[in-house]
Amino acid sequence: MINPELLAELVAFKKYGTLSATAEHLLITQPSVTRGMKKLEQEIGVTLFNRGANKIELTATGELAAQEAEKLLKNQEVFIEKVINFEKSQQSIKLGSVAPGPLLFIQYEYDQNSFEQKLTFNNQLITPEDVPSDLVTYKEQIIFSHQEIQTEEIESLYLGSEQLSVKIDKFNPLSQQKSVSFTDLTGLSFLVVQDIGPWKNICETYIPKAKFLYQEDLNSLDELTRYSNFPVFRSNLTRLDQSRNEDDNRKEVQISDQHNSLPIYACYLKNKENRARIKPFLQKLIKIWPK
């Protein structure tokens, strides 16, 4: 079996183009790279380099070998990552999401001992495109998404929806209404946490001429909320968290708008063992999902 370090040297040479640059990148000596490349040629039994007096470059075969070596190394990384993640998955159910609401709601209920299962949370939101790869490599066992996924490996269970409300200063006439539309919020400036997943595009698209004062984390958002009168968003999934229901000069108003509903699906691997582990958790989650 070929030493992966030799393959890494070949890939690095293809990227950096010289022995010295390859050695510098790999933090080894140039003679070590030279010996390694000769050994790789001997093990494979082909010529990978054209060697001149003052220049060395890959042959066409060397170019192909470097491309295939990169694939092998990547597959090795995936293999290791998948095995480690699977081992961790046996100890707890790790949850991820494309939007913050589901995780905030579940974390709150978990702190209230609503679930028997041990849960861990990936609080960094997942891009929708990465959901399938995260699941098949066991990075998370369940990912909450606004998009249903049905493949040979993955299935989705509809849990419910998330709808926004807005907390508006009591002196703003809008606060006296039973509900508002996105259009009613035209031109307002909102305090919003930086990463809100698909809600960001919805709010920026359907609230005309609005300004969004994005904050990096929830603690910053909460502090600014206490010391300002900017409107802030809440949802049916975050309303139970008392730390976000401040007794301030704002009144919560429902948003009645055709675009103000995000379906939430639990996406997971459909193998028998995984289903058996997560089924009781999902059944409980559906029962307590906020309307």
Side-chain angles (χ1 to χ4, degrees), residues 69-136:
E70 189 169 11
K71 294 177 184 178
L72 283 173
L73 293 173
K74 180 62 177 177
N75 286 337
Q76 183 184 55
E77 292 177 4
V78 172
F79 162 76
I80 295 172
E81 179 185 36
K82 191 170 184 177
V83 171
I84 292 174
N85 289 337
F86 181 80
E87 173 65 18
K88 292 179 180 178
S89 76
Q90 303 306 295
Q91 302 165 18
S92 67
I93 301 174
K94 188 170 184 179
L95 309 177
S97 183
V98 303
L103 293 187
L104 290 172
F105 168 63
I106 296 169
Q107 181 69 70
Y108 172 80
E109 292 291 343
Y110 188 54
D111 292 342
Q112 308 305 310
N113 299 312
S114 297
F115 304 106
E116 297 180 0
Q117 299 81 6
K118 182 179 179 181
L119 306 177
T120 56
F121 298 82
N122 176 10
N123 291 312
Q124 183 174 351
L125 296 189
I126 300 166
T127 61
E129 295 79 14
D130 289 337
V131 172
S133 63
D134 271 23
L135 289 172
V136 299

Side-chain angles (χ1 to χ4, degrees), residues 164 166 168 174 177-188 190 206-208 233 253-260:
L164 296 183
V166 60
I168 306 175
L174 291 175
Q177 298 183 195
K178 291 184 177 180
S179 66
V180 295
S181 67
F182 280 142
T183 302
D184 292 332
L185 303 176
T186 297
L188 295 181
F190 298 87
Y206 296 109
I207 304 180
F233 293 111
V253 180
Q254 298 302 308
I255 299 176
S256 298
D257 194 285
Q258 62 177 327
H259 303 292
N260 186 37

Side-chain angles (χ1 to χ4, degrees), residues 95-103 106 125-135 140-150 154-162 196-199 202 237 261-268 282 285 289:
L95 309 177
S97 183
V98 303
L103 293 187
I106 296 169
L125 296 189
I126 300 166
T127 61
E129 295 79 14
D130 289 337
V131 172
S133 63
D134 271 23
L135 289 172
E140 295 86 21
Q141 284 67 66
I142 303 174
I143 298 178
F144 302 100
S145 175
H146 63 305
Q147 297 172 336
E148 182 179 13
I149 301 176
Q150 299 290 349
I154 300 169
E155 65 184 5
S156 301
L157 176 66
Y158 178 72
L159 300 174
S161 63
E162 182 176 19
I196 54 175
W199 282 117
I202 292 173
L237 298 184
S261 182
L262 203 64
I264 304 296
Y265 298 89
C267 305
Y268 52 90
L282 292 178
L285 187 56
W289 193 267

